[in-house]
Amino acid sequence: MRWRRFAMSDDGLRLENVRRSFKQGKDSLDVLQGANMAIRGGEIVALVGPSGAGKSTLLHIAGLLEKPDSGEVYLAGNAAGALGEGERTKLRRLHLGFVYQYHHLLPEFSAVENVVLPQMIAGVSRSKAKLRALDLLTRMGLAERAEHRPGQLSGGEQQRVAICRALANAPRVLLADEPTGNLDPHTAEGVFDELIKLVRGSGVAALIATHNPDLARRMDRTVRLQDGLLVEAT
């Protein structure tokens, strides 16, 4: 398989010469060494690489949860580097959805309430937020499970609720860190099918980290984190 460097774009998500190192005693571990990436709206990109390569670090930087040592992150056309923490939080709330390997649903709330809450935090009325939540849950095949709490749902159902929550505020960018990694292969296939359909229908720019080559091949393209750089399959 041949790999090439990325072309740049302002659509959706763009990383420009991002660098990140971590101190290990007297040594420095260079995880990202000038990573460049661009994802357009409506595009689904697989992020692959060996364990320890820095995929989670990359996702945290792309999601404005962590700052790079140098370089710039553009989210929905907005440069984030010079923003204060409050502005970064607002930008993340408006334009970003994140799906983790573990669902992180609030156990005391129902499925629909878990999808309603982030919308209300963003200023949406409860009635409008519930309509949006029910629509997303229905599209994920969970209409009859909307009033169930996470403990009453299967692992696959919980992760589908988490996907709905990530898309609740109609983000411009979706980041997912091994979203089916905790599921058995059959359940993972079903959840991934629903994720792809929902993402394609929303026009979001999606970056999905996965160790599963079969899932990676079903996305629009695959990029590899390799020696601190992002390269793309052709």
Side-chain angles (χ1 to χ4, degrees), residues 4-19:
R4 62 177 174 81
R5 299 274 183 105
F6 278 96
M8 306 301 280
S9 169
D10 281 321
D11 291 336
L13 174 69
R14 178 159 62 97
L15 306 185
E16 188 174 286
N17 199 30
V18 168
R19 296 177 180 271

Side-chain angles (χ1 to χ4, degrees), residues 134-212:
L134 289 172
D135 175 62
L136 288 169
L137 290 170
T138 298
R139 289 161 64 185
M140 286 293 266
L142 294 171
E144 296 182 357
R145 310 289 280 169
E147 299 299 334
H148 289 69
R149 292 186 179 184
Q152 299 171 299
L153 303 174
S154 69
E157 289 171 336
Q158 290 170 343
Q159 196 65 332
R160 280 187 279 166
V161 174
I163 292 167
C164 291
R165 179 183 58 189
L167 292 171
N169 286 326
R172 295 282 296 278
V173 175
L174 177 73
L175 303 175
D177 193 358
E178 294 285 349
T180 61
N182 278 332
L183 306 176
D184 65 79
H186 177 73
T187 303
E189 280 284 329
V191 170
F192 187 76
D193 285 344
E194 299 296 341
L195 171 61
I196 291 296
K197 284 191 291 185
L198 200 54
V199 166
R200 292 202 187 283
S202 68
V204 68
L207 179 64
I208 302 175
T210 182
H211 281 106
N212 188 323

